[in-house]
Amino acid sequence: MLRVRDVMTHSVVTLSPEMSLAEAMGTLSTIGVSGAPVCDAAGQVVGVFSQSDVVKLDGSVPTGARVESLMTAKVLSVGLDEGLEAAIGALAKHGVHRLMVLDAEGGLSGIITPMDVVRAIARGKLVVQEPGGGS
């Protein structure tokens, strides 16, 4: 059985709740992703910030606004050793583009996105079967 740890992105850039929105958007743009986990000073995931959060502002960014004011505080996560099918199901069920991958102590180990799933299929790690088991 393929596990989350087998296909997740291990190297994850995190944002700080205290970052300005401009700095956070610049970081996302520089690394070429649409969102990232937000971690506190202790390294614990406290939220997720994405371009979707900024779109909600409808073009009016408050002066001095910080990531913590817009981030999504509800963090959806999976464990390192959960089955990949469960993670794919969670992505689809919640309609999200990223799940935080946490270790046994609750620390951030990585992130899993639909693109990680696509890469697994392209590399032959994950074989997609027709519904009903046919080919």
Side-chain angles (χ1 to χ4, degrees):
M1 172 177 77
L2 208 51
R3 298 172 300 163
V4 169
R5 73 168 59 237
D6 300 323
V7 300
M8 71 182 198
T9 297
H10 295 268
S11 178
V12 180
V13 172
T14 62
L15 306 174
S16 161
E18 294 81 25
M19 287 177 98
S20 71
L21 295 183
E23 184 181 3
M25 290 304 296
T27 299
L28 295 181
S29 177
T30 298
I31 61 174
V33 297
S34 62
V38 179
C39 293
D40 63 16
Q44 294 299 305
V45 181
V46 295
V48 178
F49 179 76
S50 72
Q51 292 171 342
S52 300
D53 295 319
V54 176
V55 169
K56 294 174 194 172
L57 292 175
D58 198 28
S60 60
V61 179
T63 303
R66 299 184 313 179
V67 167
E68 65 188 348
S69 67
L70 279 186
M71 72 181 190
T72 302
K74 182 178 180 184
V75 177
L76 298 175
S77 64
V78 292
L80 277 167
D81 291 315
E82 283 192 53
L84 183 57
E85 287 184 18
I88 294 169
L91 286 165
K93 176 183 176 186
H94 298 288
V96 296
H97 300 281
R98 62 197 57 79
L99 294 173
M100 303 307 112
V101 181
L102 305 179
D103 62 23
E105 291 78 39
L108 183 65
S109 289
I111 192 167
I112 188 160
T113 69
M115 187 53 69
D116 293 316
V117 175
V118 169
R119 279 190 206 97
I121 294 168
R123 293 177 180 149
K125 286 184 173 183
L126 178 62
V127 178
V128 179
Q129 296 179 354
E130 292 291 325
S135 42

